[in-house]
Each structure stands twice: as structure tokens, then as C-alpha cells.
Amino acid sequence: MTPLRLLPLATSALFFAGSPLVFSDETEEVFEYNTGGLNAIMGEGAEIGGFLFPELYVFATGGLFEPGSSAEDFASSEHDPLNDLGFQAIELDIGINWNDVVTGLIAGVGFQAENHVWEAELEEAFLHFQITDNIAVGGGQFLNTFGFQSAQHLHGWYFVNQNLVNSRILNEGHLTTQGGEILLKTPSNGGLLTLGGGGVRTHGHSHSHEHGEEEEHHDDEEEEHHDDEHEEHGHEEHLEADEAGFNDWVFSADYQFRLPFDDSITASTSFAAGENGFGRNTYAYGFGFQKVWNGQDHGNGGPDFCTDAVMLRSEFIGRDVEAYLEDGDAVSFDDYGISTSLHWGVSEQLTLSLRHDWVSAVEMADLADRHRISPALTTYFGPGDRIRARIQYDYTQSDAIGGEHAAWLQFQVQWGGTGGSHAGHGH
């Protein structure tokens, strides 16, 4: 797909943008403006000097798997659980708010890689200056907004692990950019247009279950038969799937807005273009919607809800990749997927969720199509409801691996911020 063919898509992204909404009975409170993803509601958490608001999250996760499988086999991003039992991550966020004029966030995370080896990284460090009520500009290092999920930190995830389509297409789910942003509020439809651009911070991690699943699940005899078929029918060159992601620079436009006929529905459209690991271009595009019944989704789209509140969210993300095969031939391919989830607030402390993920097959990159069903139950308890427990089951199916099962138990302990079902998770 050429840039010219994508021009209408990019144009639509520039005209339609916004952020997840907090719904109420009064129209003027429908839009909650959040410059750069800093929590608009700081609650009664920790405060330093009146403008720094720290929050600390500790995650411990364990899993049960079929014989011969382990946690790393099911990981599609570096922040997914990578050990059968251990600390998934420690996350420190420091929000910045100086008289609602200068806002920002410093976010760092330490996580246990395979074999319980600790790694650490700075996820975000940015400042925004609010020029007017409707315009903010700034920059630094930030999670580029692309739909509902991409800018969420681990404590704001609905599930134990990342959505499959976000992991595959958006650099393991987080399109981390070092550059600048412009945020334009559109009060007429309760929206926010986010334009971002700059250099891309890449991830140096690969996950064999996603990128090498065919090699893991074929024995030597099948591989020899595969090679014989190549010789008989003409060899088929392949490419390295990891190189399809954004690798050098990226420009993105994200627009989320209320629909005029139903202000409880938020629509999203996103576009990104940049250089990939092949030295050519990747073009990503996304569309989504979010519908809320019976209440608020506290904290700009967070995963926790009031009693009897229901939220349905669905995101489609695709990309067109210009690449090179192993023999140097130039090729291009399409890759896409969808993630849909339903969430019900059983009570103030209990949320029941269900997710379906699907990603397409790319034969030249040895990627099989995959389906995953994930029911989850999340509860809060302890002082200030600052302890979260989540039980989740995953059933993953593809032609390459057949069907596989995994069960997870995750605990999150929080300091600072607002705890419980009214916690703000909209970083």
C-alpha cells in the first residue's frame, strides 16, 4: 500500500481525534481533558511539593500451564509474565501538575525477564504546556497514543497480558516515541486530537512463541519435508518478522470522539507512518469504539467500574509493511487483527471481563493466525482498596500450535493515587 493510497486515511485521522470519556448526566462534564495522559483526578494519594504525585505499583504473577509449556511461551510483549511464578513488574509513576498549566509524567518500570533476571527502563518522561483551554504542546519520551490500549501502563491493563494485535503491530504494544506532541481539544464533540512524532525507542526482546512458533512445533522430519517441497515447487524466501515494526522515526495521529447520536459511545481512529527495521516504511491504521452503560468508566478509560456498569470495547489495527526477503527482493505484506472485550462491574470491588483476540497469518514471516479467549475476574481489597487480585484463563488456538491453555493469578499492591474501583488508570 503506497503513501498516496493511505492519504485519505491519514486525513480522516487529522479531523477526528479524542480521548476516552468519563460519562455523567451533565453534558458539560462529559469530556475530561487530560493533557498527555496525566491523571486528571489525583485523589488523596501521595503529594510532594504540591505538584508531584507519585504512585508505586508492585505486581506478582503466577501461572499454570500444560506439561512442557511455561510462561514465556505465552508472552507476546516484554511486560507480559515471563516466569511461571515471580514479580511481573514494579512500576513507579510521578505525575506532574503545576497549576494545570504545566503537566507531565515520569514513569519507570522494572520487570523480571526470563529466568527471573531483572531489567529496568524509563517508559515516559514528558512535559506539556497548556497554551489555551483547547491546545497543549510538549514533548520528551512518551507512549504514543494509538487507540485505547497503546498508552496504558501495566497497572491500567484490563488483563494480565497485552492484547495480541497491539503486541504484534505496535512494537510490543507500546509505540514509545522520543519527540513532540500536540493535543487539540474539540469541545463540539468531546474529542481530543493527538499528533505525535519523533524517534522510536525499540525493544530488544523477542518471544519465540509468537515469532518462532512454527520452528518450535515442527520436528526434524516435518522440516525436511518442508525443504523438499521448496525444492520441488521453487524456494520460498522468508523475512524476519521483528523488523516489520517501527524502528527509526514515526509520525502518528489519533482521534477519539463522542458520537453525536449517543454520547456514551467513543469512537477512535488512528494512523502512524515510519521507518521499519528493513530501512523501508510501515503504515499502521486503527479503528475502534467504546460503549458504556449504567455509569462511568472511572479514570479516563480505566479497567474498573461502578456496580452494574458495563463497557464494550473493540479495536481493529492493521498495517502495510514494505520489506525485503532474505535474498534481497523487495516485497510488501498486510497484517491485521482485532481485540474485543466486555466488562461488567459486579460491585464496587469486583469486575468480570471477557476478551477475544485475533491476529492474521503472514506466511512469509512465519506468523500463524491466532485466536485467544480470556475470561478474567478482578477484585480490590485491603486498606483503601489498594490491593488488586486478578484471576484469568487463556485459551489460545492456531493452526501452528493447535490449542493451548494457561491460567493466571496476579496480585497488584499500590501506594499513592486513588485505590479501588474509582482509581484513575488513564496515564
Side-chain angles (χ1 to χ4, degrees), residues 159 161 353-357 372-376 392-394:
F159 297 90
N161 39 25
S353 304
L354 178 65
R355 175 183 64 184
H356 173 256
D357 285 326
R372 184 174 64 186
I373 300 292
S374 304
Q392 180 178 320
Y393 164 74
D394 287 337

Side-chain angles (χ1 to χ4, degrees), residues 22 32 34 37-43 55 57 91 93 152-153 155-157 297-304 380 386 388 412 414 416-427:
V22 175
E32 182 174 329
N34 185 340
L38 174 65
N39 244 337
I41 302 175
M42 290 298 178
E55 299 177 30
Y57 303 86
E91 178 186 327
D93 299 344
Q152 292 288 333
H153 292 267
H155 73 267
W157 286 8
D297 60 339
H298 300 286
N300 259 354
D304 312 300
Y380 283 88
R386 281 178 163 80
R388 183 179 78 185
Q412 170 195 291
Q414 172 188 351
T418 303
S421 63
H422 295 271
H425 294 283
H427 285 312

Side-chain angles (χ1 to χ4, degrees), residues 145-402:
T145 304
F146 193 102
F148 298 115
Q149 172 73 8
S150 67
Q152 292 288 333
H153 292 267
L154 182 59
H155 73 267
W157 286 8
Y158 290 79
F159 297 90
V160 170
N161 39 25
Q162 181 65 273
N163 298 341
L164 291 180
V165 65
N166 291 79
S167 292
R168 180 182 286 188
I169 294 180
L170 298 178
N171 289 27
E172 298 197 21
H174 287 155
L175 189 52
T176 306
T177 304
Q178 297 170 336
E181 282 187 303
I182 302 175
L183 297 91
L184 304 174
K185 177 183 175 183
T186 55
S188 61
N189 62 357
L192 184 70
L193 169 64
T194 304
L195 304 174
V200 177
R201 197 205 69 191
T202 59
H203 298 270
H205 306 269
S206 61
H207 303 282
S208 58
H209 201 64
E210 169 68 11
H211 298 304
E213 50 191 19
E214 292 193 24
E215 293 182 7
E216 287 189 10
H217 297 274
H218 286 73
D219 58 26
D220 293 339
E221 182 178 346
E222 289 175 320
E223 290 180 357
E224 290 176 3
H225 178 66
H226 188 62
D227 292 339
D228 292 341
E229 286 183 337
H230 281 184
E231 293 178 4
E232 181 178 349
H233 298 291
H235 75 283
E236 297 177 8
E237 290 289 346
H238 294 269
L239 55 84
E240 178 55 54
D242 288 335
E243 301 300 323
F246 297 103
N247 189 69
D248 190 359
W249 61 270
V250 68
F251 165 80
S252 69
D254 179 83
Y255 181 50
Q256 297 166 35
F257 58 98
R258 283 181 306 152
L259 296 184
F261 55 85
D262 188 342
D263 64 8
S264 68
I265 299 178
T266 307
S268 169
T269 180
S270 309
F271 172 78
E275 184 174 324
N276 56 38
F278 298 103
R280 304 186 70 194
N281 294 326
T282 290
Y283 305 94
Y285 46 91
F287 308 94
F289 75 92
Q290 172 181 287
K291 166 72 175 178
V292 178
W293 292 269
N294 301 330
Q296 302 177 349
D297 60 339
H298 300 286
N300 259 354
D304 312 300
F305 305 91
C306 299
T307 304
D308 293 329
V310 177
M311 188 178 86
L312 175 65
R313 172 181 289 182
S314 186
E315 286 192 80
F316 169 89
I317 304 177
R319 64 180 173 181
D320 186 87
V321 180
E322 299 173 350
Y324 290 112
L325 296 176
E326 294 172 347
D327 62 2
D329 289 343
V331 296
S332 64
F333 67 87
D334 293 315
D335 195 13
Y336 42 85
I338 189 169
S339 180
T340 301
S341 58
L342 182 65
H343 310 268
W344 172 39
V346 181
S347 70
E348 293 286 333
Q349 286 79 32
L350 189 65
T351 301
L352 180 63
S353 304
L354 178 65
R355 175 183 64 184
H356 173 256
D357 285 326
W358 172 76
V359 287
S360 64
V362 183
E363 292 186 5
M364 69 176 66
D366 290 329
L367 297 175
D369 72 322
R370 301 176 71 190
H371 291 268
R372 184 174 64 186
I373 300 292
S374 304
L377 189 65
T378 302
T379 185
Y380 283 88
F381 57 94
D385 287 338
R386 281 178 163 80
I387 300 176
R388 183 179 78 185
R390 174 172 291 156
I391 300 174
Q392 180 178 320
Y393 164 74
D394 287 337
Y395 173 70
T396 305
Q397 191 279 330
S398 76
D399 292 339
I401 64 175

